[in-house]
Amino acid sequence: MNKHMNMKTKILFLLAASVLLMGCDRDEESLFDKSATERLNEALSNASTTLAGAENGWEMLYYPNTTSCGYNMLLKFDAHGSVVVAACNELTTHDRYVEDKNSTWTVKADYGPMLSFDTYNNILHAWADPQTDGDGYLGDYEFLVLKTTQDMMRLKGKKHKAYTIMYRLDNQVKWKEYFQQVNALRDIVFTGNDGMPMNIITPEKTYEYVYQSGILQDPDSVEKDPFPFIIRPGMIQFYDTGINGAVHFVLNNDRTALVCTDEGHADVRIESALSPVEYYDNRLNLRARWTYIDEGSDSDTRLQVANLRDKASANGAVIDKIAFEKTASLNSRGVKTYAHALYVSFLVEGKVFEGCIHLNYSADGEHITYSYKSADASLEKLLLRMAATKAEGAKMFTDIFCDTYSASSYSGSSLNMIHMSLQSANVTNKSIHVVANTASL
Amino acid sequence: MKKVYQYIVMGLMAISFAACEEELNSKSIFVDPVQDPEAYTKQFDDWLKRNFTDTYNVEYLYKLDDSATDPNYNIVPVRLGMADTVAHLSLYLWYDAYNTVVGPHFLSTYGPKMIQLIGSSMINAAQGTEKLGYAEGGIKITLMKINAMDVNDVEQLNHYIFQTMHHEFSHILHQKKTYPKEFETITPADYDPSGWQYRYDDNIADLWKREHPAWEMGFVTCYGSSEAHEDFVETIANYIVQSDENWQYMMDHAGTKGAAAIQRKLEMCRTWLREQYEYDLDEMHREVQKRQGDLDWDKIMHLYE
């Protein structure tokens, strides 16, 4: 028994000695050459120097939070602590180019280096201002610096956790022109285009999405991840890892698709889900009016419309809007019926009136066709000023607007057809420019 | 033998601890803040050092460090221009008023050690409330919603800043020396920590007159009706910043019972301040009113070198 105890004690002794001696091994190699403190200080100084070192500043692709669409800002960091921030967007600068030069920045230690904009900048902090609901746009102004290179910084919002990327701007980029280029691409593809069905086409599958305020959304529900993006000069860039790794897209030459430029994803594209005629029809069904616009219509057509306006004003009425529409009404049995019409609004003695001329409508794959059906009593007040009978007056309108048309995007991009050109299939010098008035949606 | 082993084990342990003792790294984890002589805010920072740190031993924090605030709220920093204006106003309407009334050492002894500015308020949308300021441990006063303030409007200045400063400072004073417990027995039934915000008369835009439902209950403000210690400091702060006319308006519209309760509370505050701090509340009221009535910007912005 005693011997056994001794044995146990010996084992304990050996174990203790080995553990203790191991614990004292000071020859362990450090993974790093420098201490954590030195490395942190170096990271802080590296981030600061890089930021202030960009002569023409940085392009920031800013997402206020992980569910929002993104916005561009340009920033120039001064080595002595001030920062200039510029933007041009609908929400915070009302589509004007605005700079604010009177605020400060710093890089300090947090969980690593943290870039903080620590006094209020009208452009940057507009995204973080709690406004009256306590949330505002839920944006950040303190960012953890995840990665620093000479040309790029990857940041993460400290409170709302969205990733933000900054690219060093080339010295020749002029700030105002940067936003002009962004807006040029925006106007071609996205302006007014909310609700546009777009397909994301990959070699394996086509995904149906809808464009909505800077985000490609699942049209039906939230089953599929939304894809927010930012428009940059000449390209769009999706948030974070984009569409399964496809991040950068450019508009192709015939403006029919946004095509991915990333290696390994060149066959990913985004196209309109609808043909021009389908889109024209789709908007009518959503109760949009297709309103005639002089500018961009054929000169012969414009002359005809000008004559029409002159005829009306010579008889005391001013024609305001002329538009194609689809109306819904309930019949006596309570069943909803639809009818197509040419909507006209006009002023007599300063008062606004509106009415319509009923039309027959048909649409096939290539063409849409309108023809006269009947004149509405509501337009009597105008038509009887212009002609002896309602039908004669209505004919003056339908002679111009009723025809068989081929439809195409006015912007030239089939991704954005909010403006359309309707080209007569019968008369070469007859085309009309119409815009889908979403305000009536 | 067993004993010997035990001694050896103990000896080894002692050696091992000794061997593990490491020399402390003399390098601090913080970088020494090297003063940049060309720093964008250097002129303002130097001015703050002279007028706040050196004079009152207080740090004036205008560059926001979000980690020093409540992470549950979305807030933004203050505008540089407003930080400058509020600093001047604080010296004129607050520090100098205390200097005149209670002497130059009062604020360096009892005053906050940090004044923090925040551009927005802390909004609790669910409760329909917003925080305009708070005091922490008698050390730090945080002032909020500075960016939204119209500095030419005395009512607003008081509502957003000075009433808040007197309020928070009074908290510091009663955290150092307790206020009389009898104060809590004047209107004990009507304190409502979660429902006070529904007592405002929302039909009235005037920041003072909309408090009238609280007056009838014996409180100077609706916020004062939340808890007794808030009531105590609201009575002091409002007595200082409200004009004679406003105070009288309140007493006239508080009803007999309300006015009597407010008067009793005021007397209690008056006595407590005089006995505990040799601080004459009426003199403070007169001094602040005099200064509020003479907001000459040109003078104030050049008063402090």
Side-chain angles (χ1 to χ4, degrees):
Chain A
M1 187 72 183
N2 205 6
K3 198 180 169 190
H4 189 69
M5 277 277 276
N6 272 343
M7 195 60 184
K8 212 171 165 186
T9 318
K10 274 180 199 167
I11 290 168
L12 271 173
F13 164 75
L14 286 169
L15 268 175
S18 65
V19 169
L20 290 168
L21 287 169
M22 246 165 59
C24 286
D25 181 3
R26 305 305 296 164
D27 295 333
E28 200 179 316
E29 289 271 314
S30 168
L31 272 175
F32 304 98
D33 296 340
K34 295 166 183 162
S35 74
T37 311
E38 286 170 304
R39 278 181 286 123
L40 177 59
N41 287 344
E42 257 180 32
L44 296 184
S45 139
N46 181 27
S48 298
T49 315
T50 308
L51 285 168
E55 221 172 289
N56 194 29
W58 295 82
E59 173 193 25
M60 182 187 254
L61 307 185
Y62 179 82
Y63 291 84
N65 56 75
T66 54
T67 57
S68 164
C69 64
Y71 297 88
N72 328 44
M73 284 184 271
L74 299 182
L75 299 96
K76 169 112 179 64
F77 297 85
D78 173 75
H80 302 296
S82 70
V83 61
V84 185
V85 187
C88 177
N89 65 66
E90 192 185 347
L91 282 183
T92 63
T93 75
H94 308 290
D95 285 329
R96 284 178 305 129
Y97 172 82
V98 184
E99 282 180 8
D100 186 355
K101 301 176 176 181
N102 191 24
S103 69
T104 54
W105 67 282
T106 186
V107 174
K108 55 188 167 190
D110 199 85
Y111 299 102
M114 185 179 75
L115 168 61
S116 170
F117 296 89
D118 53 6
T119 53
Y120 193 90
N121 183 290
N122 288 329
I123 309 298
L124 190 124
H125 291 91
W127 299 111
D129 208 306
Q131 301 181 11
T132 50
D133 63 353
D135 288 340
Y137 299 115
L138 287 172
D140 266 305
Y141 51 88
E142 290 186 330
F143 304 92
L144 300 172
V145 179
L146 303 181
K147 188 179 175 187
T148 306
T149 70
Q150 277 310 297
D151 299 318
M152 189 272 273
M153 284 186 109
R154 189 167 153 80
L155 313 171
K156 187 178 186 181
K158 194 182 165 193
K159 194 174 268 180
H160 300 291
K161 314 289 183 209
Y163 293 109
T164 281
I165 294 181
M166 293 205 295
Y167 297 104
R168 180 191 284 257
L169 274 180
D170 280 344
N171 284 355
Q172 61 271 23
V173 173
K174 298 208 168 47
W175 283 26
K176 268 189 191 171
E177 284 172 15
Y178 168 94
F179 287 105
Q180 283 163 3
Q181 286 174 20
V182 166
N183 287 334
L185 182 56
R186 186 195 312 280
D187 284 346
I188 294 169
V189 185
F190 299 105
T191 301
N193 213 9
D194 278 0
M196 176 71 181
M198 290 188 185
N199 288 338
I200 298 171
I201 301 163
T202 70
E204 300 81 37
K205 204 181 163 186
T206 293
Y207 300 90
E208 289 176 10
Y209 272 81
V210 163
Y211 168 74
Q212 197 75 44
S213 312
I215 304 178
L216 291 186
Q217 308 260 24
D218 186 339
D220 304 317
S221 62
V222 287
E223 280 170 29
K224 290 181 289 198
D225 285 340
F227 295 118
F229 61 86
I230 283 179
I231 304 165
R232 302 177 63 198
M235 72 164 95
I236 70 167
Q237 178 165 339
F238 281 92
Y239 177 67
D240 197 25
T241 52
I243 303 164
N244 302 326
V247 178
H248 305 88
F249 287 74
V250 296
L251 191 61
N252 63 1
N253 286 336
D254 60 6
R255 297 182 171 185
T256 53
L258 290 159
V259 294
C260 186
T261 56
D262 299 322
E263 210 176 307
H265 299 281
D267 39 16
V268 180
R269 39 201 292 130
I270 298 162
E271 289 180 3
S272 163
L274 302 172
S275 73
V277 168
E278 284 169 338
Y279 181 75
Y280 183 88
D281 206 46
N282 171 285
R283 296 291 110 170
L284 284 178
N285 289 332
L286 290 171
R287 300 287 161 272
R289 283 193 182 117
W290 284 103
T291 304
Y292 166 79
I293 296 175
D294 264 335
E295 190 196 338
S297 293
D298 189 277
S299 55
D300 282 12
T301 315
R302 284 160 70 166
L303 191 64
Q304 287 176 298
V305 175
N307 288 338
L308 196 66
R309 290 184 192 279
D310 289 348
K311 181 84 180 165
S313 59
N315 293 290
V318 179
I319 294 174
D320 181 25
K321 288 195 176 78
I322 304 171
F324 293 107
E325 68 173 1
K326 183 176 179 179
T327 57
S329 55
L330 296 176
N331 68 14
S332 57
R333 291 193 197 90
V335 178
K336 209 176 238 184
T337 59
Y338 297 96
H340 287 267
L342 189 71
Y343 163 92
V344 181
S345 66
F346 60 98
L347 288 91
V348 175
E349 290 164 1
K351 279 187 192 155
V352 182
F353 298 90
E354 52 183 8
C356 63
I357 299 164
H358 298 294
L359 304 176
N360 300 304
Y361 167 84
S362 66
D364 62 29
E366 297 283 311
H367 297 95
I368 50 176
T369 302
Y370 280 110
S371 62
Y372 175 67
K373 194 174 176 186
S374 64
D376 196 286
S378 58
L379 210 55
E380 214 173 56
K381 203 174 175 64
L382 173 69
L383 300 180
L384 291 181
R385 280 169 193 266
M386 297 172 70
T389 65
K390 261 195 309 184
E392 271 177 59
K395 194 168 180 301
M396 298 168 81
F397 284 86
T398 54
D399 278 352
I400 305 171
F401 288 96
C402 286
D403 208 333
T404 294
Y405 298 104
S406 63
S408 63
S409 162
Y410 180 77
S411 74
S413 169
S414 54
L415 283 156
N416 186 352
M417 297 186 284
I418 193 85
H419 284 262
M420 288 197 109
S421 270
L422 301 181
Q423 169 63 49
S424 164
N426 304 309
V427 186
T428 316
N429 295 340
K430 183 175 175 187
S431 75
I432 58 179
H433 171 197
V434 285
V435 60
N437 178 8
T438 45
S440 62
L441 281 178
Chain B
M1 189 63 184
K2 190 180 158 198
K3 274 230 165 102
V4 173
Y5 276 126
Q6 277 176 349
Y7 286 129
I8 294 174
V9 169
M10 281 166 72
L12 272 173
M13 280 177 78
I15 292 166
S16 78
F17 281 126
C20 286
E21 197 175 282
E22 201 180 345
E23 257 185 57
L24 284 174
N25 190 344
S26 60
K27 281 177 190 157
S28 163
I29 59 160
F30 301 109
V31 194
D32 276 339
V34 182
Q35 278 286 331
D36 173 5
E38 290 173 63
Y40 186 63
T41 53
K42 173 145 178 52
Q43 206 186 339
F44 183 46
D45 292 337
D46 288 348
W47 181 88
L48 287 174
K49 185 175 180 303
R50 286 196 300 278
N51 287 285
F52 282 85
T53 319
D54 297 348
T55 316
Y56 297 107
N57 190 25
V58 60
E59 226 183 324
Y60 186 86
L61 306 166
Y62 66 98
K63 290 182 177 172
L64 185 59
D65 180 356
D66 208 343
S67 59
T69 66
D70 187 340
N72 294 313
Y73 293 94
N74 297 301
I75 54 166
V76 286
V78 71
R79 287 179 211 281
L80 278 174
M82 290 303 275
D84 187 26
T85 307
V86 170
H88 280 82
L89 273 173
S90 302
L91 291 174
Y92 182 70
L93 281 178
W94 208 69
Y95 280 93
D96 280 359
Y98 278 92
N99 284 345
T100 312
V101 177
V102 271
H105 301 301
F106 191 75
L107 281 179
S108 38
T109 312
Y110 299 112
K113 295 294 163 254
M114 284 182 260
I115 295 175
Q116 174 175 256
L117 298 194
I118 290 176
S120 58
S121 55
M122 288 180 168
I123 296 168
N124 184 331
Q127 284 185 6
T129 58
E130 64 174 347
K131 216 184 256 189
L132 297 177
Y134 56 93
E136 288 163 280
I139 288 174
K140 182 173 166 189
I141 286 182
T142 298
L143 299 171
M144 318 192 75
K145 212 174 179 177
I146 302 296
N147 290 346
M149 198 179 54
D150 175 358
V151 292
N152 296 304
D153 182 337
V154 174
E155 291 270 323
Q156 270 198 35
L157 284 180
N158 278 334
H159 188 71
Y160 292 131
I161 304 183
F162 294 105
Q163 196 262 3
T164 307
M165 278 179 81
H166 290 292
H167 172 112
E168 302 302 347
F169 182 55
S170 304
H171 273 312
I172 292 178
L173 293 181
H174 80 67
Q175 280 160 9
K176 291 186 190 295
K177 299 180 182 181
T178 353
Y179 64 80
K181 283 290 146 209
E182 302 82 67
F183 186 91
E184 300 183 355
T185 64
I186 300 174
T187 49
D190 290 323
Y191 290 118
D192 187 351
S194 57
W196 61 270
Q197 66 270 27
Y198 306 115
R199 290 176 172 167
Y200 289 109
D201 185 342
D202 289 332
N203 299 317
I204 300 176
D206 186 290
L207 292 172
W208 181 238
K209 290 177 183 166
R210 67 199 290 262
E211 305 274 5
H212 79 83
W215 301 341
E216 289 150 35
M217 302 166 94
F219 306 102
V220 292
T221 60
C222 295
Y223 187 50
S225 74
S226 62
E227 290 175 79
H229 65 112
E230 299 298 349
D231 191 11
F232 187 72
V233 302
E234 279 289 282
T235 308
I236 297 174
N238 279 283
Y239 185 70
I240 296 171
V241 301
Q242 296 300 339
S243 63
D244 291 336
E245 193 190 346
N246 270 359
W247 191 265
Q248 194 52 50
Y249 182 90
M250 172 187 71
M251 295 304 267
D252 292 346
H253 289 78
T256 324
K257 216 175 130 205
I262 292 172
Q263 189 60 35
R264 249 189 95 197
K265 289 177 183 177
L266 176 64
E267 290 299 343
M268 225 171 255
C269 293
R270 225 178 228 148
T271 312
W272 180 78
L273 282 169
R274 193 176 55 237
E275 287 176 355
Q276 298 295 324
Y277 290 103
E278 295 173 26
Y279 168 160
D280 186 331
L281 185 58
D282 290 284
E283 209 185 320
M284 181 62 87
H285 165 77
R286 282 191 295 273
E287 183 63 28
V288 167
Q289 292 306 312
K290 193 179 84 190
R291 286 169 180 270
Q292 277 180 189
D294 180 27
L295 278 188
D296 179 345
W297 286 103
D298 215 31
K299 184 180 96 184
I300 296 169
M301 296 310 276
H302 293 96
L303 205 54
Y304 307 96
E305 292 296 316

